[in-house]
């Protein structure tokens, strides 16, 4: 594999990860509703989920590709840099909200739309740092046990478990705890919170299953794993 292709692939995956992450923070406060042909427990005949569900699911796709190609340490660096970028996003949004406005009415609408995003970012910070590091950990624990084979298993298992952790933490903090503590936006009823958790996790689980062929395609296109034997042995240190 050429060095140029490796560099382009690495940069593209990091760019996808950060773009999807920041997009998720700005779109999560809009709640989406999708009708179902049948009623399910908790959700009923409608799945309600944050607008960020698809964008955030892409971060796990990017991190799994990156983990397989470049190893645990590289993936955790990407995850932790992304964590810091959440604070950058929060600072930039609030500096714009608090800056003097040429049109006070438009500024009020701007604040009404973006200020509740603080709840989203705070919920995301906790969920993110726990779930993304769990994703990388589980991915490489399974890789240690299976070697380079069974990429599908570590992709699905790591994403499915980390998405469960992420969904519970994120929805609970962003839509129930933070609004009560910070007074930004209105906390949702417990029934809606539970419905959000169920709906978001169902979508994320579906994406985890569907994106496996794409993980194989990306890893194959970029020449396969570049993890050294020393990196494979990280867990024994």
């Amino acid at each position: 594999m050429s060095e140029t292709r490796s560099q382009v692939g690495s940069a593209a995956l990091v760019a996808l990860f950060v773009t999807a992450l920041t997009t998720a923070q700005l779109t999560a406060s809009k709640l989406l509703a999708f009708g179902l042909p049948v009623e399910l427990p908790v959700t009923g005949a409608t799945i309600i989920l944050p607008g960020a569900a698809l964008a955030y699911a892409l971060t796990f796709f990017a991190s799994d590709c990156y983990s397989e190609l470049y190893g645990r340490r590289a993936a955790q660096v990407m995850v932790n840099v992304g964590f810091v970028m959440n604070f950058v996003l929060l600072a930039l949004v609030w500096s714009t909200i608090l800056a003097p406005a040429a049109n006070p009415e438009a500024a009020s609408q701007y604040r009404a739309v973006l200020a509740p995003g603080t709840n989203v970012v705070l919920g995301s910070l906790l969920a993110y740092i726990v779930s993304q590091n769990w994703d990388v950990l589980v991915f490489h624990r399974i890789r240690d046990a299976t070697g380079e084979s069974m990429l599908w298993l570590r992709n699905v298992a790591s994403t499915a478990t980390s998405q469960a952790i992420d969904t519970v933490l994120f929805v609970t903090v962003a839509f129930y705890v933070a609004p009560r503590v910070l007074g930004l936006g209105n906390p949702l009823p417990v029934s809606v919170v539970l419905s959000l958790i169920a709906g978001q996790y169902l979508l994320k689980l579906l994406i985890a299953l569907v994106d496996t062929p794409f993980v194989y395609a990306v890893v194959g296109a970029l020449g396969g794993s570049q993890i050294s034997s020393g990196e494979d042995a990280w867990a024994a240190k």
Side-chain angles (χ1 to χ4, degrees), residues 29-230:
S29 57
K30 178 178 179 177
L31 300 183
L32 309 179
F34 297 95
L36 298 174
V38 296
E39 289 199 10
L40 299 177
V42 182
T43 65
T46 303
I47 287 184
I48 302 175
L49 60 155
L54 177 59
Y56 200 60
L58 284 176
T59 65
F60 288 89
F61 167 77
S63 66
D64 282 352
C65 290
Y66 205 81
S67 288
E68 180 66 16
L69 286 162
Y70 307 113
R72 178 193 65 93
R73 293 182 181 90
Q76 285 190 318
V77 167
M78 182 178 73
V79 165
N80 292 324
V81 168
F83 179 74
V84 174
M85 291 304 102
N86 281 285
F87 291 99
V88 175
L89 173 66
L90 200 60
L92 291 174
V93 167
W94 272 99
S95 66
T96 305
I97 289 174
L98 298 175
N103 185 331
E105 183 178 349
S108 177
Q109 295 173 350
Y110 183 87
R111 180 188 177 98
V113 171
L114 289 183
T118 301
N119 300 333
V120 171
V121 174
L122 293 176
S124 178
L125 286 172
L126 175 61
Y128 175 89
I129 199 65
V130 175
S131 64
Q132 289 283 1
N133 279 288
W134 174 265
D135 183 65
V136 173
L137 174 66
V138 172
F139 188 95
H140 283 278
R141 288 289 187 183
I142 296 174
R143 195 179 196 281
D144 287 339
T146 62
E148 294 189 17
S149 63
M150 302 181 74
L151 171 57
W152 63 270
L153 176 61
R154 51 186 176 272
N155 176 63
V156 173
S158 64
T159 301
T161 56
S162 58
Q163 292 280 27
I165 295 170
D166 173 81
T167 300
V168 172
L169 289 176
F170 169 68
V171 173
T172 302
V173 174
F175 295 100
Y176 188 79
V177 176
R180 289 176 177 273
V181 174
L182 300 179
L184 295 172
N186 299 314
L188 298 179
V190 173
S191 61
V192 178
V193 170
L194 293 176
S195 181
L196 275 172
I197 290 173
Q200 186 172 0
Y201 184 66
L202 285 174
L203 176 65
K204 288 179 176 179
L205 187 59
L206 177 62
I207 292 173
L209 297 173
V210 171
D211 78 359
T212 300
F214 295 97
V215 173
Y216 273 95
V218 169
V219 171
L222 296 178
S225 175
Q226 300 174 45
I227 304 174
S228 67
S229 58

Side-chain angles (χ1 to χ4, degrees), residues 6-26:
S6 176
Q7 291 173 343
V8 170
S10 175
L13 287 172
V14 172
L16 174 61
F17 184 86
V18 175
T19 300
L21 178 63
T22 53
T23 300
Q25 310 297 29
L26 295 176

